[in-house]
Amino acid sequence: MTWKEVDPAAHPFDPRQAYEVVRDVVFSPDPESGKPRGMWSTESVARGLGERYGAWAFWWLGSLGRSVDSGTVIKDLETNTDGDELEFQARRYTDILLQWRSWLEQLASLFVHLSQERIRSEEDLRRMRARGAASVISMVVERTGADEMWCGECARALAWFLEITGMTPDEAEELADSVVDAEFESWVAPSSDALSRAGSIIRNHKS
């Protein structure tokens, strides 16, 4: 998944219409089972939303919190108390989609801010990447609480940032994964030293 596939600037979205679109997907038949997607699987709903909105609306899959301490960007979802399962699923998946879109928009705003720095040389670009990475990591920590699964969200957001600085998606993903694997761990918010070392890895990376 590349930033181009999920960049909100390239994929218009009206949150006011989200519930009706999501409800239609949840009630629609799964292509394989014939059952309503909302009664079949989360992946089926995600695929239906991707068909309606584009790939960005599919890729929240994997960012759902299993608990309030899961360290993902989508959590604190409603539990079913009214007994109407499909209507509940429609509300739940709307909340999921809106949380995911909000996260992408927050990242996009940060990326725009970081990319405004004037770059005159390769060394300027290296420094910008290192400083920007610290801001991206800090945003992920704040959003996820640095709990169980935050490292995966961090690697993904960091790769997207590196993409907008000129790296290819494959190079950005490889570097982001190596930084996260080397310096961060679940349930531990990164120290200033860890952030500094992460920045050094990125600054010293040679394309």
Side-chain angles (χ1 to χ4, degrees):
M1 173 180 38
T2 67
W3 179 244
K4 183 178 180 180
E5 291 177 294
V6 299
D7 182 0
H11 304 283
F13 172 72
D14 186 348
R16 296 170 298 181
Q17 298 176 359
Y19 174 75
E20 292 303 324
V21 174
V22 173
R23 187 181 186 281
D24 188 46
V25 168
V26 166
F27 278 76
S28 67
D30 172 76
E32 295 184 9
S33 69
K35 297 180 179 180
R37 288 181 185 266
M39 299 296 288
W40 185 242
S41 71
T42 297
E43 182 174 353
S44 180
V45 174
R47 290 191 181 282
L49 292 175
E51 291 166 5
R52 298 297 182 92
Y53 285 116
W56 73 267
F58 172 81
W59 284 112
W60 52 263
L61 198 66
S63 292
L64 283 175
R66 293 194 297 266
S67 70
V68 295
D69 297 320
S70 61
T72 63
V73 299
I74 301 172
K75 50 189 176 182
D76 299 327
L77 296 169
E78 175 188 356
T79 56
N80 191 2
T81 58
D82 62 11
D84 190 330
E85 184 63 20
L86 283 177
E87 289 294 348
F88 161 69
Q89 294 291 354
R91 295 193 304 271
R92 180 175 183 272
Y93 285 115
T94 300
D95 189 6
I96 288 169
L97 187 68
L98 293 176
Q99 285 194 47
W100 177 242
R101 180 70 181 201
S102 172
W103 174 238
L104 295 178
E105 290 174 352
Q106 288 179 49
L107 288 174
S109 179
L110 177 62
F111 294 170
V112 168
H113 173 72
L114 295 174
S115 65
Q116 290 175 346
E117 185 172 339
R118 183 172 295 181
I119 304 298
R120 299 183 179 89
S121 66
E122 180 66 24
E123 182 57 29
D124 285 346
L125 178 59
R126 292 177 185 276
R127 284 197 294 264
M128 184 272 278
R129 283 172 173 164
R131 287 193 296 267
S135 296
V136 172
I137 294 164
S138 295
M139 179 178 283
V140 174
V141 170
E142 181 178 359
R143 175 80 177 218
T144 65
D147 293 320
E148 182 185 4
M149 297 169 62
W150 84 275
C151 290
E153 300 292 349
C154 185
R156 180 157 60 178
L158 188 55
W160 287 339
F161 166 66
L162 294 172
E163 276 185 57
I164 66 104
T165 70
M167 288 189 184
T168 66
D170 287 344
E171 181 184 16
E173 182 178 359
E174 183 177 356
L175 179 55
D177 285 343
S178 67
V179 168
V180 171
D181 289 344
E183 300 299 335
F184 307 142
E185 57 184 306
S186 297
W187 303 102
V188 180
S191 65
S192 58
D193 286 344
L195 286 173
S196 179
R197 290 192 300 270
S200 294
I201 294 171
I202 290 170
R203 181 172 176 176
N204 294 328
H205 174 76
K206 294 183 179 179
S207 300

